[in-house]
Amino acid sequence: GVQASDAETPFASIDKDQWSKQSEPGCVQLGYGGFNCGMGCCGSPHKHENTNYALNSHRAVISNAMEDYKELYFYGVSGSAGGDVDGISGEDAYKSVCHGFMNAVEMGTLPKCVSNWAGRDYNPLTNNCNTFTSTVLKCVYGFSDAKPHLGVSDLRNVKCPSEKKHDRTELDQCLIPTIDVSVGVSDKDAFSSE
């Protein structure tokens, strides 16, 4: 259950006075950048500092980010307020986008989610940090992939892959892979997309 903002206003700016006070490292920072690596998702770091991120931090995944000009936007809520429907965590969003790769280690064979997100696949116009953000927003959470005035670095409209759910219906979304811990990691059948 994801509750999105309305279609006319797909996101809302969050006042800096509100998020700049959030110093608890309870968020997951997702991002993508160009790195000299070819393994899937090696361009999307997922280290301790990314999985324990404070909202008021000005640390960015990409080195050319203008950290002093950081802005935050609200797109919607994942899950339900009463807990009736499970939300999609930042960890699950990473697993979904990185389909089969965790920390640039191949875990199995799954379809890619828009890109393989390898560092060498980075392109400043067609496969960049904004493409990654659009993919997470649209293909994982089901929100709008619209973003505020990012110019030529945000020209690509992402198309989510069609995947079959366990009931064989198709869904235009990057599903969250689950690992069956009763089998070895090297087993290609260790993953399911439920």
Side-chain angles (χ1 to χ4, degrees):
V2 177
Q3 299 170 325
S5 49
D6 65 53
E8 288 185 33
T9 312
F11 54 83
S13 180
I14 300 173
D15 190 80
K16 187 173 183 172
D17 289 338
Q18 185 176 2
W19 62 261
S20 63
K21 297 173 186 162
Q22 304 294 320
S23 60
E24 289 295 315
C27 297
V28 175
Q29 178 191 36
L30 300 173
Y32 172 68
F35 298 96
N36 188 19
C37 59
M39 177 71 71
C41 245
C42 66
S44 179
H46 200 65
K47 299 175 182 160
H48 179 76
E49 61 266 19
N50 305 109
T51 60
N52 292 284
Y53 188 79
L55 279 182
N56 68 350
S57 174
H58 286 270
R59 190 179 61 245
V61 170
I62 57 173
S63 60
N64 64 340
M66 298 169 61
E67 297 157 349
D68 291 339
Y69 297 97
K70 174 179 173 174
E71 294 182 29
L72 293 182
Y73 296 89
F74 177 78
Y75 281 79
V77 177
S78 176
S80 64
D84 301 339
V85 178
D86 288 338
I88 300 170
S89 69
E91 287 292 323
D92 284 345
Y94 179 83
K95 290 175 188 174
S96 183
V97 171
C98 289
H99 263 199
F101 294 92
M102 289 302 292
N103 295 316
V105 176
E106 187 169 2
M107 303 287 286
T109 304
L110 290 168
K112 70 180 180 179
C113 182
V114 179
S115 170
N116 284 325
W117 309 112
R120 290 187 198 127
D121 291 343
Y122 183 87
N123 180 295
L125 297 177
T126 61
N127 198 51
N128 57 37
C129 55
N130 296 320
T131 313
F132 184 86
T133 299
S134 292
T135 300
V136 171
L137 288 169
K138 184 176 181 180
C139 302
V140 176
Y141 289 105
F143 296 141
S144 169
D145 61 349
K147 291 176 296 311
H149 317 294
L150 297 177
V152 296
S153 69
D154 190 35
L155 296 176
R156 182 174 174 197
N157 291 323
V158 299
K159 179 168 178 10
C160 304
S162 290
E163 295 195 22
K164 290 192 190 286
K165 298 189 318 185
H166 64 281
D167 65 0
R168 300 280 187 228
T169 59
E170 287 207 7
L171 182 67
D172 287 340
Q173 185 175 6
C174 298
L175 300 178
I176 301 164
T178 57
I179 300 174
D180 181 351
V181 293
S182 66
V183 295
V185 173
S186 63
D187 187 349
K188 285 185 179 180
D189 297 325
F191 286 91
S192 65
S193 295
E194 294 185 29

